[in-house]
Amino acid sequence: MAEARVSEIVASSSKSFDAAVQEGLKRAARTLRGISGFEVTRMQGKIEAGKVKEYRVHMSLTFLLEEVAGDDAFVGATY
């Protein structure tokens, strides 16, 4: 039976919402293993002098927990 956990992050980019998502996934992959999906839960932008200065996304990331051999504990998340 697979166990999963959900973590929420916020990521930003000066280019686009898509670039903000990609930056968030890239950064999360450095510390989370087994990322299996994401959901953008909120999108925001920062405007300066009438132009979009920053695109920001709030994301929920789902990742699978790894079972430790011979143990009922799971690895992959900090509780």
Side-chain angles (χ1 to χ4, degrees):
M1 180 169 139
E3 299 283 333
R5 181 169 172 125
V6 175
S7 253
E8 295 188 25
I9 66 169
V10 178
S12 64
S13 169
S14 61
K15 297 178 183 175
S16 67
F17 286 116
D18 182 60
V21 169
Q22 295 301 323
E23 285 297 318
L25 293 172
K26 181 178 164 182
R27 173 59 185 92
R30 292 190 345 220
T31 55
L32 297 175
R33 293 186 305 274
I35 297 173
S36 60
F38 73 94
E39 176 185 10
V40 175
T41 57
R42 188 172 175 185
M43 296 167 59
Q44 296 174 290
K46 182 177 180 183
I47 297 175
E48 288 182 10
K51 295 184 180 183
V52 177
K53 188 72 172 176
E54 180 182 56
Y55 299 86
R56 191 176 301 150
V57 293
H58 294 243
M59 302 167 54
S60 294
L61 301 176
T62 303
F63 58 98
L64 300 177
L65 300 177
E66 299 170 354
E67 190 168 343
V68 177
D71 194 356
D72 290 334
F74 289 93
V75 177
T78 304
Y79 296 98

